[in-house]
Amino acid sequence: MQTEHERGAAPAPPPRGRRGRRTVLVASALIVVAAVAVVGALGLGGDGAEDGSSAPPRSGSTVPVTRATLTERTTVDGQLGYGTEIPLPVKSTGTVTWLPAEGRTVERGGTLLRVDDRPVVLLYGTLPMYRDLGPTAGTRQGTRQDAGTEGDAQDKGDQGRTDDTSGAPAPSGSPTPGGAGAGAGETRGTLRGMDVLQFESNLAALGYTGFTVDEKFTDLTARAVKRWQTSLGLPRTGTVGVGDVVYSAGKVRIGHAGVRLGSAVTEDVLTYTGTSRKVVVNASAAEDSWAVRGAAVTVGLPDGTSVKGEVASVGKKATAPEEGGGDGGSGAPTVPVTITIKDQKAVGRLESAPVTVEYVGRERADVLTVPVAALVALAEGGHGLETADGRFVAVKTGLFADGRVEVSGSAVREGMKVRIPE
């Protein structure tokens, strides 16, 4: 009897599933190899980075870690102008008969307006005009006419002793109006005070001399006042009324008029500002630490140029912006910050315009830095840098400024080459 082999029957097939298991094993091995390669390329291989092993160099430029000072700069919006308009403290009473044009500059001795056809003159000082100034302490605004009559007579009698043009005092030995014990031109009722000193300083600065600039309003002062009054077309009284002058810290720029010609003088008859252009920023009250008096800033003008500025004042009262304002209606409280510009010529002819103000916030000196683009996110969290040989080192980031970032860590050193990923 023949066996199946002798009959030429086909050999039995191998057990089912053996070939399938071999295919699965090969595929699994390929996946493991690929995973190891990926881990090595990312620098996550644990001890591999410690013993110096690395993945093949990858494409991308390299830059050195450098030591530098990083400065954080912030830009906010501001408004260029002459500042807030302030009412002139005019104390004259009567009818407004002349007003200056808006934007006009008035200097010491110039006319601010005319009331009852009398000029109100600008003088420099910080003490307001609060009383009439004359040769005797009893002088008051209601007695100017009487004082003028008596003063004219006295002035005519003095013409032989005083040069009415130069205002030089009478020669020594001449009779003294106040009698024995009184100084030159001084009487027993001489008006004294700091307001007298302030006025006499202005009178002398305008060229009307012949008296001693001090705190005493003497007859010699009155004679100089008469010459000044003549130049203004006023009666020669020798007395200055409380409404005849207005004091300011310097020359002024006329703002808008609050009344029309022919109207009575009111508190808001005329406003003024300084003559220097400045910038006002409504700074966030929560982020105004930069706004310190004397702090340097950079003002960006509409034409792309920039000028240096300095914080002059910071408001002490925070206000919430109106709804629909430039802040998007957030309602965040703001404080006004005034910035002065020393180089007024650099501003050109601009009188009003929106500008930007750049200020320095935080600053980190002598720190290690790299371009922000060199940072990579690590799988385990945080940031790292890729070295030129393909390793990844973890770093701690600090200040970001000017496209660079402060980095620190035990594996980071100055001059080390790091890769910027493509």
mmCIF file of all heavy atoms in Angstrom, residues 189-213:
data_model
loop_
_atom_site.group_PDB
_atom_site.id
_atom_site.type_symbol
_atom_site.label_atom_id
_atom_site.label_comp_id
_atom_site.label_asym_id
_atom_site.label_seq_id
_atom_site.Cartn_x
_atom_site.Cartn_y
_atom_site.Cartn_z
ATOM 1 N N GLY A 189 4.634 157.564 54.624
ATOM 2 C CA GLY A 189 3.587 156.597 54.303
ATOM 3 C C GLY A 189 3.929 155.720 53.121
ATOM 4 O O GLY A 189 3.033 155.268 52.412
ATOM 5 N N THR A 190 5.232 155.493 52.865
ATOM 6 C CA THR A 190 5.665 154.724 51.690
ATOM 7 C C THR A 190 5.068 153.320 51.692
ATOM 8 O O THR A 190 5.111 152.608 52.695
ATOM 9 C CB THR A 190 7.194 154.637 51.659
ATOM 10 O OG1 THR A 190 7.734 155.955 51.542
ATOM 11 C CG2 THR A 190 7.660 153.799 50.475
ATOM 12 N N LEU A 191 4.530 152.922 50.524
ATOM 13 C CA LEU A 191 3.965 151.585 50.356
ATOM 14 C C LEU A 191 5.090 150.560 50.235
ATOM 15 O O LEU A 191 6.055 150.770 49.494
ATOM 16 C CB LEU A 191 3.090 151.550 49.097
ATOM 17 C CG LEU A 191 2.223 150.310 48.886
ATOM 18 C CD1 LEU A 191 1.108 150.262 49.935
ATOM 19 C CD2 LEU A 191 1.617 150.323 47.486
ATOM 20 N N ARG A 192 4.987 149.463 50.958
ATOM 21 C CA ARG A 192 6.030 148.449 50.968
ATOM 22 C C ARG A 192 5.413 147.073 50.722
ATOM 23 O O ARG A 192 4.247 146.839 51.026
ATOM 24 C CB ARG A 192 6.769 148.419 52.313
ATOM 25 C CG ARG A 192 7.408 149.738 52.704
ATOM 26 C CD ARG A 192 7.866 149.719 54.152
ATOM 27 N NE ARG A 192 8.419 151.012 54.556
ATOM 28 C CZ ARG A 192 9.716 151.298 54.579
ATOM 29 N NH1 ARG A 192 10.592 150.353 54.248
ATOM 30 N NH2 ARG A 192 10.146 152.484 54.956
ATOM 31 N N GLY A 193 6.226 146.151 50.218
ATOM 32 C CA GLY A 193 5.762 144.780 50.050
ATOM 33 C C GLY A 193 6.446 144.066 48.894
ATOM 34 O O GLY A 193 7.112 144.684 48.053
ATOM 35 N N MET A 194 6.280 142.751 48.851
ATOM 36 C CA MET A 194 6.857 141.953 47.770
ATOM 37 C C MET A 194 6.202 142.266 46.438
ATOM 38 O O MET A 194 6.829 142.128 45.388
ATOM 39 C CB MET A 194 6.701 140.456 48.078
ATOM 40 C CG MET A 194 7.528 139.965 49.260
ATOM 41 S SD MET A 194 9.298 140.223 49.008
ATOM 42 C CE MET A 194 9.597 139.165 47.601
ATOM 43 N N ASP A 195 4.940 142.681 46.459
ATOM 44 C CA ASP A 195 4.286 143.057 45.195
ATOM 45 C C ASP A 195 4.921 144.309 44.605
ATOM 46 O O ASP A 195 4.984 144.468 43.383
ATOM 47 C CB ASP A 195 2.785 143.243 45.399
ATOM 48 C CG ASP A 195 2.461 144.279 46.485
ATOM 49 O OD1 ASP A 195 3.325 144.515 47.364
ATOM 50 O OD2 ASP A 195 1.344 144.831 46.463
ATOM 51 N N VAL A 196 5.417 145.191 45.471
ATOM 52 C CA VAL A 196 6.123 146.373 44.992
ATOM 53 C C VAL A 196 7.437 145.960 44.330
ATOM 54 O O VAL A 196 7.788 146.445 43.239
ATOM 55 C CB VAL A 196 6.395 147.354 46.147
ATOM 56 C CG1 VAL A 196 7.242 148.541 45.665
ATOM 57 C CG2 VAL A 196 5.075 147.857 46.741
ATOM 58 N N LEU A 197 8.180 145.066 44.983
ATOM 59 C CA LEU A 197 9.437 144.566 44.417
ATOM 60 C C LEU A 197 9.200 143.911 43.054
ATOM 61 O O LEU A 197 9.957 144.129 42.098
ATOM 62 C CB LEU A 197 10.082 143.570 45.377
ATOM 63 C CG LEU A 197 11.345 142.854 44.883
ATOM 64 C CD1 LEU A 197 12.448 143.862 44.600
ATOM 65 C CD2 LEU A 197 11.806 141.818 45.900
ATOM 66 N N GLN A 198 8.147 143.128 42.943
ATOM 67 C CA GLN A 198 7.832 142.457 41.678
ATOM 68 C C GLN A 198 7.515 143.466 40.592
ATOM 69 O O GLN A 198 7.991 143.343 39.450
ATOM 70 C CB GLN A 198 6.651 141.509 41.894
ATOM 71 C CG GLN A 198 6.211 140.762 40.658
ATOM 72 C CD GLN A 198 5.128 139.735 40.960
ATOM 73 O OE1 GLN A 198 5.413 138.585 41.262
ATOM 74 N NE2 GLN A 198 3.868 140.153 40.889
ATOM 75 N N PHE A 199 6.718 144.484 40.929
ATOM 76 C CA PHE A 199 6.359 145.496 39.934
ATOM 77 C C PHE A 199 7.580 146.321 39.526
ATOM 78 O O PHE A 199 7.797 146.579 38.339
ATOM 79 C CB PHE A 199 5.267 146.409 40.473
ATOM 80 C CG PHE A 199 4.966 147.568 39.565
ATOM 81 C CD1 PHE A 199 4.223 147.376 38.417
ATOM 82 C CD2 PHE A 199 5.474 148.840 39.837
ATOM 83 C CE1 PHE A 199 3.959 148.443 37.549
ATOM 84 C CE2 PHE A 199 5.222 149.900 38.974
ATOM 85 C CZ PHE A 199 4.463 149.701 37.830
ATOM 86 N N GLU A 200 8.387 146.746 40.482
ATOM 87 C CA GLU A 200 9.558 147.550 40.160
ATOM 88 C C GLU A 200 10.554 146.777 39.300
ATOM 89 O O GLU A 200 11.225 147.361 38.439
ATOM 90 C CB GLU A 200 10.230 148.036 41.446
ATOM 91 C CG GLU A 200 9.441 149.107 42.167
ATOM 92 C CD GLU A 200 10.202 149.685 43.355
ATOM 93 O OE1 GLU A 200 11.157 149.026 43.836
ATOM 94 O OE2 GLU A 200 9.843 150.785 43.806
ATOM 95 N N SER A 201 10.662 145.474 39.525
ATOM 96 C CA SER A 201 11.543 144.648 38.694
ATOM 97 C C SER A 201 11.090 144.675 37.247
ATOM 98 O O SER A 201 11.907 144.755 36.317
ATOM 99 C CB SER A 201 11.569 143.207 39.223
ATOM 100 O OG SER A 201 12.071 143.154 40.547
ATOM 101 N N ASN A 202 9.777 144.608 37.018
ATOM 102 C CA ASN A 202 9.244 144.669 35.665
ATOM 103 C C ASN A 202 9.438 146.044 35.055
ATOM 104 O O ASN A 202 9.788 146.177 33.877
ATOM 105 C CB ASN A 202 7.756 144.311 35.683
ATOM 106 C CG ASN A 202 7.499 142.826 35.714
ATOM 107 O OD1 ASN A 202 7.453 142.170 34.673
ATOM 108 N ND2 ASN A 202 7.354 142.271 36.916
ATOM 109 N N LEU A 203 9.213 147.074 35.850
ATOM 110 C CA LEU A 203 9.353 148.436 35.349
ATOM 111 C C LEU A 203 10.789 148.689 34.878
ATOM 112 O O LEU A 203 11.017 149.256 33.811
ATOM 113 C CB LEU A 203 8.964 149.423 36.453
ATOM 114 C CG LEU A 203 8.593 150.850 36.030
ATOM 115 C CD1 LEU A 203 7.413 150.849 35.065
ATOM 116 C CD2 LEU A 203 8.279 151.701 37.268
ATOM 117 N N ALA A 204 11.750 148.222 35.671
ATOM 118 C CA ALA A 204 13.154 148.384 35.292
ATOM 119 C C ALA A 204 13.479 147.552 34.058
ATOM 120 O O ALA A 204 14.240 147.993 33.175
ATOM 121 C CB ALA A 204 14.049 147.985 36.459
ATOM 122 N N ALA A 205 12.919 146.338 33.959
ATOM 123 C CA ALA A 205 13.182 145.485 32.798
ATOM 124 C C ALA A 205 12.643 146.100 31.518
ATOM 125 O O ALA A 205 13.176 145.863 30.428
ATOM 126 C CB ALA A 205 12.559 144.100 33.021
ATOM 127 N N LEU A 206 11.604 146.939 31.626
ATOM 128 C CA LEU A 206 11.032 147.615 30.459
ATOM 129 C C LEU A 206 11.797 148.885 30.107
ATOM 130 O O LEU A 206 11.469 149.551 29.118
ATOM 131 C CB LEU A 206 9.559 147.952 30.723
ATOM 132 C CG LEU A 206 8.602 146.752 30.774
ATOM 133 C CD1 LEU A 206 7.214 147.199 31.231
ATOM 134 C CD2 LEU A 206 8.525 146.060 29.429
ATOM 135 N N GLY A 207 12.800 149.227 30.920
ATOM 136 C CA GLY A 207 13.640 150.386 30.605
ATOM 137 C C GLY A 207 13.309 151.638 31.366
ATOM 138 O O GLY A 207 13.907 152.693 31.115
ATOM 139 N N TYR A 208 12.366 151.573 32.291
ATOM 140 C CA TYR A 208 11.988 152.742 33.079
ATOM 141 C C TYR A 208 12.710 152.665 34.421
ATOM 142 O O TYR A 208 12.313 151.908 35.314
ATOM 143 C CB TYR A 208 10.465 152.799 33.264
ATOM 144 C CG TYR A 208 9.740 152.866 31.949
ATOM 145 C CD1 TYR A 208 9.269 151.699 31.333
ATOM 146 C CD2 TYR A 208 9.560 154.077 31.292
ATOM 147 C CE1 TYR A 208 8.619 151.762 30.104
ATOM 148 C CE2 TYR A 208 8.907 154.142 30.064
ATOM 149 C CZ TYR A 208 8.443 152.978 29.482
ATOM 150 O OH TYR A 208 7.811 153.039 28.259
ATOM 151 N N THR A 209 13.789 153.426 34.552
ATOM 152 C CA THR A 209 14.642 153.345 35.731
ATOM 153 C C THR A 209 14.648 154.683 36.478
ATOM 154 O O THR A 209 13.772 155.517 36.288
ATOM 155 C CB THR A 209 16.063 152.965 35.308
ATOM 156 O OG1 THR A 209 16.547 153.923 34.348
ATOM 157 C CG2 THR A 209 16.085 151.576 34.668
ATOM 158 N N GLY A 210 15.668 154.887 37.332
ATOM 159 C CA GLY A 210 15.755 156.108 38.124
ATOM 160 C C GLY A 210 15.307 155.902 39.547
ATOM 161 O O GLY A 210 15.094 156.866 40.286
ATOM 162 N N PHE A 211 15.137 154.672 39.975
ATOM 163 C CA PHE A 211 14.726 154.344 41.331
ATOM 164 C C PHE A 211 15.451 153.069 41.760
ATOM 165 O O PHE A 211 16.040 152.367 40.938
ATOM 166 C CB PHE A 211 13.205 154.138 41.412
ATOM 167 C CG PHE A 211 12.713 153.047 40.495
ATOM 168 C CD1 PHE A 211 12.595 151.742 40.932
ATOM 169 C CD2 PHE A 211 12.384 153.326 39.165
ATOM 170 C CE1 PHE A 211 12.161 150.735 40.074
ATOM 171 C CE2 PHE A 211 11.949 152.338 38.304
ATOM 172 C CZ PHE A 211 11.840 151.027 38.763
ATOM 173 N N THR A 212 15.392 152.765 43.028
ATOM 174 C CA THR A 212 16.003 151.545 43.561
ATOM 175 C C THR A 212 14.970 150.425 43.533
ATOM 176 O O THR A 212 13.852 150.589 44.044
ATOM 177 C CB THR A 212 16.485 151.757 45.006
ATOM 178 O OG1 THR A 212 17.447 152.818 45.024
ATOM 179 C CG2 THR A 212 17.127 150.492 45.550
ATOM 180 N N VAL A 213 15.329 149.315 42.926
ATOM 181 C CA VAL A 213 14.416 148.170 42.871
ATOM 182 C C VAL A 213 14.445 147.481 44.232
ATOM 183 O O VAL A 213 15.392 146.781 44.586
ATOM 184 C CB VAL A 213 14.830 147.179 41.762
ATOM 185 C CG1 VAL A 213 13.900 145.960 41.778
ATOM 186 C CG2 VAL A 213 14.793 147.862 40.404
#
